[in-house]
Amino acid sequence: MAGRPYILSETTWYDVARTTYEVAVLPWGATEAHNYHLPYGTDTIESEHLAAESARRAWEAGARVVVLPAIPFGVNTTQLDIPLCINMNPSTQSAILRDVARALAPHGVRKLVIFNGHGGNDFRPLIRELYPELPLFLCTLDWYKAVDPRSFFTDPGDHAGELETSVVQHIAPELVRPLSDAGSGHERRWRLSALREGWAWAPRQWTRVTADTGIGDPAAATPEKGRRYADAVAARIADFFIELAAADLNDLYA
Ligand SMILES: [Zn+2]
């Protein structure tokens, strides 16, 4: 029994040698606390699952998309006071991205999508730096920005809230503790108005912002909400993969 042909870790050289992949997808998560009820691997689990589901739909529509193994560590420099939160600095991420992209570039893959699932990761400056070095189209997406969540959730939340809890209840229910164990995800906001309004920015010291490591109340989460939202996200991103696979890199602007 062969593995899924759009998941590289399940694919053999027998198939790779016969396939021209147009788009590679690199899921990128984090390893961090998610309130009391979601697993540390939440961002990685979500990214890996949704990348696979998006790629499956694109593959079935004829696009040759391949999902690479997920990178499980994100930028968590302001959470190092939380036990077993694992930080990976942006400069380390840049080195990893460069190595992965360099390995793909000589083998016909012309397009690489970073499938990001962690708010602390920002691949845009990394891509800007790599751009002149490689004959590869690099882009990044945050899966949780692909579809407006407001018609799916009462209060989506930011971290281990209703949105994220619903998604994990849908894709990995065995890893979710009862919601009665979860904190309220109450968020303390900046006293400085420019930071509160969002036109000035600084990273937040997580343990000063939230008592339970969550931001957003998970109480109204359900697996059914997670399924509906995850389906919409995967459908939208699959459409992007299909369009990107077919895109002429010399004719990207109308
Ligand atoms: Zn998360």
Side-chain angles (χ1 to χ4, degrees):
M1 179 63 192
R4 293 171 290 177
Y6 47 88
I7 303 291
L8 183 60
S9 59
E10 298 179 11
T11 305
T12 60
W13 165 233
Y14 180 92
D15 291 306
V16 169
R18 287 164 173 75
T19 308
T20 302
Y21 299 99
E22 290 140 344
V23 177
V25 177
L26 181 61
W28 208 310
T31 300
E32 59 175 352
H34 272 78
N35 201 328
Y36 292 108
H37 62 293
L38 294 184
Y40 267 54
T42 289
D43 293 358
T44 311
I45 292 164
E46 291 166 333
S47 301
E48 200 163 37
H49 176 92
L50 292 166
E53 183 57 18
S54 306
R56 179 186 68 78
R57 291 165 186 248
W59 184 276
E60 287 171 0
R64 288 298 163 256
V65 175
V66 65
V67 180
L68 310 181
I71 310 288
F73 300 124
V75 179
N76 282 90
T77 48
T78 57
Q79 301 188 19
L80 291 172
D81 51 342
I82 301 173
L84 304 190
C85 250
I86 311 293
N87 170 56
M88 180 177 279
N89 281 329
S91 52
T92 312
Q93 292 188 323
S94 182
I96 288 173
L97 179 60
R98 177 179 276 108
D99 284 356
V100 171
R102 275 192 184 148
L104 295 171
H107 299 293
V109 179
R110 302 290 313 283
K111 299 147 185 171
L112 172 61
V113 179
I114 302 170
F115 198 106
N116 180 44
H118 172 60
N121 293 340
D122 182 2
F123 296 103
R124 288 173 298 179
L126 281 51
I127 288 173
R128 286 184 195 279
E129 186 171 328
L130 275 177
Y131 184 83
E133 292 179 28
L134 288 164
L136 197 67
F137 179 82
L138 280 160
C139 68
T140 181
L141 64 83
D142 299 325
W143 67 260
Y144 45 88
K145 292 180 183 165
V147 172
D148 185 346
R150 286 173 297 186
S151 61
F152 295 84
F153 304 102
T154 317
D155 171 18
D158 191 28
H159 182 76
E162 185 184 334
L163 182 160
E164 201 163 43
T165 300
S166 298
V167 170
V168 183
Q169 284 175 329
H170 164 56
I171 65 179
E174 70 283 4
L175 301 180
V176 183
R177 292 189 68 84
L179 290 185
S180 53
D181 288 350
S184 67
H186 174 69
E187 173 191 11
R188 297 174 68 196
R189 311 210 46 217
W190 291 104
R191 290 189 195 282
L192 291 83
S193 58
L195 291 162
R196 201 169 56 242
E197 290 161 12
W199 55 273
W201 178 87
R204 293 172 291 182
Q205 185 63 43
W206 213 253
T207 51
R208 299 272 170 97
V209 170
T210 155
D212 51 35
T213 78
I215 291 182
D217 189 352
T222 69
E224 177 56 20
K225 288 181 186 177
R227 186 190 64 73
R228 287 180 51 239
Y229 179 65
D231 274 1
V233 168
R236 186 123 202 251
I237 296 176
D239 285 347
F240 171 55
F241 287 170
I242 293 164
E243 200 179 358
L244 179 62
D248 175 354
L249 292 178
N250 294 313
D251 188 27
L252 291 175
Y253 309 97

